[in-house]
Amino acid sequence: MRKPLFTLALLLGLGSQSLQAAEADIVLTIPEVASAQYYRPYVAVWVEDAQQQPVKLIALWRKEPDWLKDIRRFWRKIGRSDTALVDAMTGATRTPGQYRLSWDGTDDQGQVLAPGAYTLYVEASREQGGGACKKLIFS
């Protein structure tokens, strides 16, 4: 039986700057995988609007840029076209454990998003095996 690459929880609240700005706490768990050859997953966390356009890159954990293409949806939507944003947001891969991320309801330019439907994507991929994408739709 395969273990998932990650589990995800999203907690929404009202933003303090504006009643229209939603704040989100994202709890991301990378499980421990018993394997002779373990590679830390590459993980991308971002938000898309109702037209499936990326509006905010929340986190990107990677090691080598060569493997970034394996985070497929992220690569098609953001990775290959916005290298400056990718470079600015890149952090190191993480060991198994629970991680808390937060999003203040703004876009990549720091502007508060208009009310509407948005989708949070968390996508992960490992060198030498496996990938997964989870999404949560919220308004």
Side-chain angles (χ1 to χ4, degrees):
M1 184 163 89
R2 293 181 65 188
K3 281 193 171 187
L5 286 177
F6 59 86
T7 58
L8 169 69
L10 175 69
L11 309 169
L12 290 176
L14 290 178
S16 56
Q17 295 177 331
S18 166
L19 290 178
Q20 296 177 348
E23 286 188 12
D25 286 324
I26 303 154
V27 179
L28 177 65
T29 303
I30 300 173
E32 191 159 344
V33 176
S35 173
Q37 224 176 8
Y38 175 80
Y39 295 94
R40 295 177 182 180
Y42 287 30
V43 177
V45 182
W46 75 100
V47 176
E48 292 182 10
D49 62 18
Q51 290 74 43
Q52 298 183 348
Q53 295 302 306
V55 294
K56 178 69 173 188
L57 178 56
I58 297 170
L60 177 60
W61 303 335
R62 70 165 173 96
K63 183 179 175 189
E64 301 295 332
D66 301 359
W67 294 94
L68 202 55
K69 291 177 250 181
D70 289 345
I71 310 175
R72 294 189 194 320
R73 184 177 181 94
F74 168 79
W75 178 252
R76 287 191 305 268
K77 294 288 186 167
I78 302 170
R80 68 177 166 196
S81 61
D82 199 342
T83 55
L85 180 62
V86 167
D87 286 344
M89 293 299 296
T90 294
T93 56
R94 305 291 201 272
T95 58
Q98 191 172 77
Y99 299 91
R100 184 173 292 272
L101 303 170
S102 63
W103 174 51
D104 61 3
T106 62
D107 63 15
D108 284 322
Q109 289 73 42
Q111 301 298 312
V112 175
L113 292 176
Y118 295 91
T119 305
L120 173 74
Y121 284 90
V122 178
E123 190 171 15
S125 179
R126 284 190 211 283
E127 292 178 36
Q128 310 299 324
C133 183
K134 292 197 180 209
K135 67 180 184 177
L136 292 171
I137 300 170
F138 58 97
S139 308

